[in-house]
Amino acid sequence: MVARGVPAMAVVAVAALDLTESSNWWRDINRSPLWQDRIFHLLSILYGIVAAVALVQLVRIQWRVPEYGWTTQKVFHFLNFIVNGVRCFVFVFRRDVQKLQPEIVQHILLDMPSLAFFTTYALLVLFWAEIYYQARAVSTDGLRLSFYTINAVVYVIQITLWLILWWKPISVLVILSKMFFAGVSLFAALGFLLYGGRLFLMLQRFPVESKGRRKKLQEVGYVTTICFSCFLIRCVMMCFNAFDKAADLDVLYHPILNFMYYLLVEILPSTLVLFILRKLPPKRGITQYHPIR
């Protein structure tokens, strides 16, 4: 019995040693200033690439339809450029950002792009909602007002929380701020599920021979899945971030966690969506191309 138990114990010991070495590897990278800088600079490069792609696409659209002013498509690409450009700048100087005082400035620089990211993709939900209701001959007059109102409420609440934190920095308010943004992310995820799902089902009912039906189905289906997933992941991660110090994203010594988080919830989704929506609008005969009023 003892002889048989020895191999099993050896296997357990080896597995424990491997787990310890893996844990040490993770911890060593997290504690290394060199690796911290490398990972944050890598994030900066990735954000810079996405920002450049969004800007190039914006310029291409402007050259294609200069007579249409600030359309929904142009604003979407412009906001993508701003969000990713600011992120690029922040991660280039991530170590300096961590030293800024008062501490509320750090929260604003790290969290404001997340709010702008929400606005950017809420604009896409608005566009889909307009298409859906127009196809059903339902008035869309209140949709833009709802879009502006929701965004205004979100920004006012978040800015109010920042101001209170500046006046009296207590941990409960930091948790409340993170949970608020988790709720905002869940709201965005449900918005994509609702209107992306509705538009997808509506397109499915179109005649099979309808021009562009299959391509639009794929476009709406892919973007809905990507955006719903990224906002849901952000919601879950922000909940952990609020209550678990091991999941804190606002510190220098969690570079691997930061890399995985921002890659999954911003960089990869933005890259995929920009690729899927890369088609330029037609020069004339536009029926679903709406200027921002």
Side-chain angles (χ1 to χ4, degrees):
M1 290 292 290
V2 174
R4 290 179 179 178
V6 170
M9 292 175 64
V11 170
V12 172
V14 170
L17 181 60
D18 289 341
L19 186 61
T20 301
E21 290 177 350
S22 175
S23 176
N24 289 338
W25 168 81
W26 180 286
R27 188 169 60 250
D28 290 343
I29 290 180
N30 280 339
R31 291 179 177 178
S32 168
L34 178 61
W35 275 105
Q36 291 170 6
D37 290 340
R38 283 176 177 174
I39 291 174
F40 289 136
H41 289 162
L42 177 58
L43 280 171
S44 176
I45 292 169
L46 293 175
Y47 273 115
I49 292 171
V50 178
V53 170
L55 181 61
V56 168
Q57 186 68 353
L58 175 62
V59 172
R60 291 179 68 214
I61 296 169
Q62 177 61 24
W63 281 348
R64 187 69 175 265
V65 284
E67 65 274 15
Y68 281 94
W70 282 101
T71 61
T72 303
Q73 191 178 20
K74 289 179 185 177
V75 174
F76 175 76
H77 285 85
F78 175 72
L79 289 176
N80 261 298
F81 165 69
I82 293 296
V83 170
N84 289 283
V86 172
R87 285 284 193 214
C88 173
F89 179 81
V90 168
F91 279 114
V92 165
F93 301 101
R94 184 65 184 85
R95 193 169 295 279
D96 295 320
V97 168
Q98 197 68 26
K99 299 174 183 177
L100 291 175
Q101 294 298 328
E103 190 177 336
I104 188 62
V105 178
Q106 300 174 27
H107 290 292
I108 293 173
L109 286 175
L110 292 172
D111 295 341
M112 183 59 82
S114 298
L115 288 179
F117 186 86
F118 164 77
T119 299
T120 303
Y121 286 85
L123 186 66
L124 188 55
V125 174
L126 168 67
F127 183 60
W128 283 356
E130 287 181 331
I131 294 174
Y132 175 77
Y133 285 123
Q134 285 173 359
R136 296 176 64 88
V138 177
S139 174
T140 61
D141 293 342
L143 286 177
R144 287 185 180 272
L145 179 60
S146 299
F147 170 79
Y148 295 133
T149 302
I150 290 170
N151 275 274
V153 169
V154 168
Y155 280 82
V156 166
I157 292 175
Q158 185 61 71
I159 291 171
T160 301
L161 288 170
W162 284 336
L163 290 174
I164 297 173
L165 271 170
W166 184 22
W167 172 62
K168 193 172 184 179
I170 56 177
S171 59
V172 174
L173 286 175
V174 175
I175 292 173
L176 184 61
S177 178
K178 292 177 179 179
M179 289 305 298
F180 170 71
F181 196 71
V184 170
S185 299
L186 180 61
F187 179 76
L190 294 177
F192 273 102
L193 192 63
L194 176 64
Y195 287 106
R198 283 181 171 183
L199 189 58
F200 184 84
L201 293 174
M202 184 184 73
L203 289 170
Q204 273 192 323
R205 292 194 291 269
F206 279 18
V208 177
E209 63 275 9
S210 295
K211 186 178 179 181
R213 170 184 177 273
R214 182 179 178 182
K215 188 173 182 179
K216 283 296 178 184
L217 266 174
Q218 291 177 340
E219 179 182 298
V220 173
Y222 289 152
V223 173
T224 298
T225 303
I226 291 165
C227 293
F228 171 77
S229 300
C230 87
F231 278 107
L232 188 62
I233 292 171
R234 187 192 287 271
C235 172
V236 173
M237 192 60 206
M238 289 306 295
C239 291
F240 281 108
N241 185 21
F243 297 104
D244 189 352
K245 287 293 183 183
D248 193 353
L249 294 163
D250 300 334
V251 292
L252 293 175
Y253 51 83
H254 287 159
I256 301 175
L257 184 63
N258 270 265
F259 181 79
M260 292 190 299
Y261 172 75
Y262 287 109
L263 184 70
L264 289 176
V265 304
E266 287 187 3
I267 296 172
L268 192 57
S270 295
T271 303
L272 292 174
V273 171
L274 287 172
F275 176 76
I276 293 169
L277 303 180
R278 68 191 182 279
K279 183 180 178 182
L280 295 176
K283 290 185 177 180
R284 286 184 171 82
I286 299 173
T287 58
Q288 293 181 352
Y289 203 56
H290 307 290
I292 292 289
R293 295 184 178 89

